[in-house]
Amino acid sequence: MRYAAVVHAKRDLRFECVAEEQLTPGSVRVRFGCGGICGSDLHYFLDGAVGNFAIAEPLVVGHEMAGEVAELGAGVTGLAVGDRVAVNPSRHCGDCVRCREGRTNLCANVYFMGSASKRPHMQGCFAETVVVRAEQCVKVPADFPLARAALSEPVSVCVHAADRAGDLQGRSVLVIGAGPIGLFQTAVAKWRGAAKVVTTDLEPLALERAEAMGATRVHNAGEGPTPDAGTYDVVFECSGSTRAIPAAFEAARRGAVMVQVGMLPGEPFPVPFNIIVSKELDVRGSFRFADVYRQAVGLIVAGTIDVTPAITATVPLADAVRAFELAADRKRSAKVILTA
Ligand SMILES: [Zn+2]
Ligand SMILES: [Zn+2]
């Protein structure tokens, strides 16, 4: 038996016993160390759905995790019991057309932890133990804080979004939304050489953290129009709020690239499509991440991307309900970390 954080329906999260997973050849059992509560976990908890992915059966949430290898399946090499690892929540087939193109995040047969995008749902990692393929584990130094290693997943999301945007060297970048993804997007844009990164949000705490993540300038979107609107080479929309979309289109310069990173609500909403025409905007979706997880772990371990300013609280996994309530309060929280 193992305890896990399970969403049964909207506002119904339980820390309860779930079935033990079978250790199969090529897989390892990882003991939970630290996990990051993500916007999508919160949406399952608060709304019972993320975008169009609705909860239809109990879902162990969580996809940002680092821990310790507890048991090795047959044939596993390169890992030992006791190794500390960051766990890539994404397992692609390697065989479908999109995988063969290298766009593994669009794999037709992907298994992504803690997601209701398929039935049966793909169970997540906010559990005392979880069984994953050995290839999903990336070793981190024995003394490296697992709270930071666990954030390799959201950093991967932002590295992928930067890849979608193209060359950021010398560019002026707008990041809309300073939740954890917007915060890491700010840091990743700086690392990729952006000359200016302006980050917007409605919450003072989020803006303060954005400054700590290296934003050139922060702006409270509730207090007026985006500074220098119409001049940004690249806009990363990380809020996932339909209210932010008009500002994103206005902020982009002619010929700009707009990357939609935030998952928007499931209902349709109006989009100023003529601006895409008249400004010749390249509007690109960015979904999870392709083959950049190992790179993201490396960036965090090397300190190139410092994720610590985003962490606002650490709460034991057993108090998952309290942790989720806290994480949902943007006045008090950015990234909330669950610990063993
Ligand atoms: Zn995440
Ligand atoms: Zn595939």
Side-chain angles (χ1 to χ4, degrees):
M1 292 293 254
R2 54 183 187 128
Y3 274 87
V6 186
V7 172
H8 286 255
K10 180 176 172 166
R11 286 274 174 189
D12 183 3
L13 171 67
R14 307 176 201 171
F15 186 66
E16 62 184 10
C17 264
V18 295
E20 201 66 71
E21 291 170 304
Q22 204 68 40
L23 191 66
T24 49
S27 63
V28 298
R29 198 182 306 279
V30 178
R31 192 176 303 115
F32 186 87
C34 283
I37 299 178
C38 184
S40 61
D41 303 322
L42 284 174
H43 279 297
Y44 286 126
F45 170 57
L46 297 172
D47 312 328
V50 173
N52 300 312
F53 309 152
I55 299 265
E57 60 195 13
L59 175 71
V60 176
V61 280
H63 57 266
E64 303 177 2
M65 200 267 267
E68 198 178 294
V69 175
E71 198 180 355
L72 301 176
V76 171
T77 54
L79 284 174
V81 170
D83 279 349
R84 286 151 75 87
V85 291
V87 177
N88 183 344
S90 181
R91 195 171 76 217
H92 59 272
C93 77
D95 205 40
C96 70
V97 181
R98 297 286 89 78
C99 274
R100 280 185 269 127
E101 282 177 349
R103 301 185 75 174
T104 53
N105 57 322
L106 304 181
C107 170
N109 312 304
V110 75
Y111 192 98
F112 195 94
M113 283 180 180
S115 170
S117 66
K118 287 185 186 178
R119 281 211 227 174
H121 294 341
M122 299 170 282
Q123 300 297 319
C125 60
F126 290 166
E128 288 174 315
T129 62
V130 65
V131 171
V132 296
R133 304 285 309 166
E135 314 83 81
Q136 289 174 265
C137 297
V138 179
K139 273 200 256 187
V140 297
D143 56 352
F144 192 76
L146 290 181
R148 282 189 244 167
L151 299 181
S152 303
E153 192 274 342
V155 169
S156 299
V157 168
C158 299
V159 170
H160 178 69
D163 286 342
R164 293 283 293 146
D167 189 8
L168 295 181
Q169 192 68 41
R171 298 284 177 155
S172 74
V173 169
L174 177 68
V175 176
I176 297 177
I181 291 295
L183 293 178
F184 300 143
Q185 199 65 62
T186 299
V188 166
K190 292 285 286 183
W191 163 62
R192 283 284 169 93
K196 166 171 131 178
V197 182
V198 176
T199 306
T200 69
D201 202 283
L202 296 165
E203 290 297 337
L205 171 74
L207 293 171
E208 174 215 301
R209 299 290 159 148
E211 237 163 4
M213 294 300 288
T216 317
R217 179 173 177 183
V218 297
H219 167 72
N220 190 319
E223 290 170 2
T226 312
D228 307 323
T231 68
Y232 294 92
D233 302 310
V234 177
V235 177
F236 292 102
E237 205 302 298
C238 300
S239 77
S241 165
T242 52
R243 282 181 307 160
I245 301 298
F249 282 96
E250 279 157 30
R253 67 154 166 85
R254 293 178 178 202
V257 174
M258 202 177 121
V259 183
Q260 183 65 40
V261 191
M263 187 66 99
L264 293 149
E267 308 80 46
F269 65 94
V271 170
F273 230 76
N274 276 339
I275 299 182
I276 300 176
V277 178
S278 57
K279 284 189 176 178
E280 284 202 353
L281 298 181
D282 282 330
V283 180
R284 301 173 188 166
S286 189
F287 185 58
R288 296 173 183 162
F289 51 92
D291 190 21
V292 296
Y293 189 83
R294 191 170 289 276
Q295 184 186 6
V297 176
L299 289 168
I300 293 172
V301 169
T304 309
I305 301 284
D306 180 11
V307 293
T308 47
I311 301 174
T312 50
T314 9
V315 179
L317 176 61
D319 290 336
V321 178
R322 181 167 69 84
F324 272 63
E325 296 282 5
L326 178 63
D329 182 355
R330 298 202 64 232
K331 293 202 184 310
R332 291 191 293 157
S333 300
K335 181 62 84 180
V336 174
I337 296 286
L338 294 167
T339 56

